[in-house]
Amino acid sequence: MMRFHYQSHCYQPLRREVIAGLFVLLFPVFLPCLFTPFSHASPSTFSEWNVPKPRHLPLLRSALQRENSNGEQSDLWAPLADQGWRPCLECVNAPSLPQISEGYLQVFLDGGLNQQRMGICDAVAVAKILNATLVIPHLEVNPVWQDSSTFMDIFDVDHFINVLKDDISIVKELPDEFSWSTREYYATAIRATRIKRAPVHASANWYLENVLPVLESYGIAAISPFSHRLSFDNLQSEIQKLRCKVNFRALVFVPHIRALGDALVHRLRYPPGESEALSTNYLRETTDQNDKRRPQKFVVVHLRFDKDMAAHSACDFGGGKAEKLALAKYRQTIWQGRVLNSQFTDEELRSQGRCPLTPEEIGLLLAALGFDNSTRLYLASHKVYGGEARISTLRELFPLMENKKSLASSEERVHIKGKASLLAAVDYYVGMHSDIFVSASPGNMHNALMGHRTFENLKTIKPNMALLGQLFLNKSISWSEFRQAVVEGHQNRQGQLKLRKPKQSIYTYPAPDCMCQA
């Protein structure tokens, strides 16, 4: 009897636990809307689950009803006129490559794809200055994107070496006698062969005075960090031209990146019919294919609106108090709160053009310039802060918007999945083959593509950030006023060549150092 009493006493709590467990399991089934964020790849902060409302609703409503004339469209898509400048990379009296090298030069490059790209160009230039043999640069793992892609994963190394064979000596790996010179070796202690304090934008003389003696003593020198470590001014013409030769001729993406890029460009030019499925054999579907249809034009929009950019800008993006707190916490975690913009108000930042354009704002810019809802638009971006909810307004304005995922099958994207540098390389390649390129905010991708497209005389729209910031602050502005101001403010910002000024990057402004007047 006692035994039965004990069992029944335990059975009551057990039954209650079972019922409670079933309730927890079945509750999401009956009320799924409360649990939607957990069923998707969601941002980590609760604020980003709140769908942001359009911040410029009157303009958006007018933009959705816009009508553009055929004349506006033809002017918009017209290629840049000949501006009288040509690529000019050959030196008239360039010295021949010395037979004996001073030693091996290693560089360790951090940052994303385009920052590393510029570092590679500078590394070749420094090797030339020092008469050193360049070891294929080491690309550091990006702390934000955690991408471990190497130089050879991204760029065609044999093409790189061949194009520069008359300029500098390059090796893929160090010989056995220097195999000890690794990143791990320099991370564990102070080493005589490591140059740790190369100043930003150092002169050629600095390298001759500080790095050449190390090469002469040890036969090797490793520079880390190296990003932005060579001046843009007061260098010999042959060094400047060499930097551009690396950037615009030697750095070519690996074959599978080019093949995927060609497939995406072809599908943008010749969209498949509704009944056609994406083929997994993109090697057959490139621009080499003879397609009898008339090719369509397309715009590439580089939308750098990731959490990193949003937080660093210290601007308000309409997500309410929760979003502000989340971005403030992120700034504290990543930069310990040391963000220059955070001392200004949102209005001050916008009026100075220091806030990145949101997807809604870049859409309104394009609509005001005359792009209609039949425009084919390719979205080049990695991760958009706020996800699809943040992009929905842009998609509403431009329903024919595409990206890598919508244009290519998962089988085609298998080699680039989860690799930020390779994803960026595909976007760069498509950006170089577009009719028009526009970036939502300044940055390394913007600067790199603007310079490369200037070199090739291709149309590139550079948003007038200060003007747009002031226009978007004006909540009473009409669509016609907004459109007129945008058109007038961007007449001379569509790829017109601008000569480089002192301290400006040669990779963004290649003329006159790397271009000659015809």
Side-chain angles (χ1 to χ4, degrees), residues 176 264 443 455:
D176 290 342
L264 300 183
F455 191 74

Side-chain angles (χ1 to χ4, degrees), residues 382-410:
H382 184 49
K383 289 184 179 179
V384 175
Y385 178 62
E388 182 60 33
R390 190 80 76 171
I391 302 173
S392 60
T393 307
L394 178 61
R395 192 181 299 282
E396 192 175 1
L397 286 165
F398 297 97
L400 300 183
M401 186 170 72
E402 306 279 7
N403 57 23
K404 292 179 288 291
K405 193 172 182 179
S406 67
L407 286 172
S409 66
S410 57

Side-chain angles (χ1 to χ4, degrees), residues 107-120 137-145 147 149 154 183 194 196 200 223-229 421 444:
V107 296
F108 297 83
L109 303 174
D110 53 17
L113 172 69
N114 292 293
Q115 182 173 318
Q116 291 172 338
R117 183 187 185 104
M118 297 169 199
I120 293 165
H138 174 88
L139 308 185
E140 300 278 21
V141 175
N142 188 297
V144 176
W145 307 121
D147 185 357
S149 297
I154 304 168
R183 184 185 184 284
R194 179 186 175 185
K196 189 177 181 179
V200 173
I223 309 177
S224 176
F226 185 71
S227 297
H228 310 295
R229 290 309 194 271
S421 293
N444 289 325

Side-chain angles (χ1 to χ4, degrees), residues 66-85:
R66 68 195 185 279
E67 292 182 3
N68 301 309
S69 67
N70 292 331
E72 287 177 320
Q73 286 289 302
S74 61
D75 291 342
L76 199 59
W77 291 105
L80 278 179
D82 189 337
Q83 302 185 69
W85 289 79

Side-chain angles (χ1 to χ4, degrees), residues 83-101:
Q83 302 185 69
W85 289 79
R86 301 284 184 274
C88 187
L89 300 178
E90 301 303 322
C91 296
V92 178
N93 296 313
S96 58
L97 185 64
Q99 292 184 348
I100 301 176
S101 166

Side-chain angles (χ1 to χ4, degrees), residues 3 22 63 65 98 169 171 182 186 206 213 240 242 314 318 353 358 377 379 381 386 388 401 415 457 478 515:
R3 184 180 175 190
L22 286 171
Q65 299 171 2
S169 297
V171 295
T182 63
Y186 294 111
W206 187 92
Q240 298 288 60
L242 179 58
T358 64
L377 190 151
L379 190 61
S381 65
E388 182 60 33
M401 186 170 72
H415 296 299
N457 197 47
S478 69
M515 302 181 75

Side-chain angles (χ1 to χ4, degrees), residues 247-312:
N247 195 27
F248 304 133
R249 296 287 184 262
L251 286 175
V252 170
F253 296 123
V254 292
H256 77 84
I257 293 291
R258 303 198 305 269
L260 179 55
D262 283 335
L264 300 183
V265 171
H266 185 269
R267 290 166 189 168
L268 288 161
R269 296 265 183 233
Y270 305 97
E274 292 183 6
S275 61
E276 298 178 61
L278 284 177
S279 167
T280 57
N281 189 359
Y282 60 77
L283 295 177
R284 297 182 195 168
E285 297 188 23
T286 66
T287 50
D288 295 330
Q289 177 179 330
N290 294 322
D291 199 311
K292 295 179 181 179
R293 291 174 293 170
R294 183 178 179 180
Q296 296 191 23
K297 298 180 183 296
F298 69 95
V299 183
V300 167
V301 174
H302 177 240
L303 185 61
R304 190 185 172 195
F305 197 74
D306 52 46
K307 189 171 184 177
D308 197 63
M309 167 65 85
H312 196 269

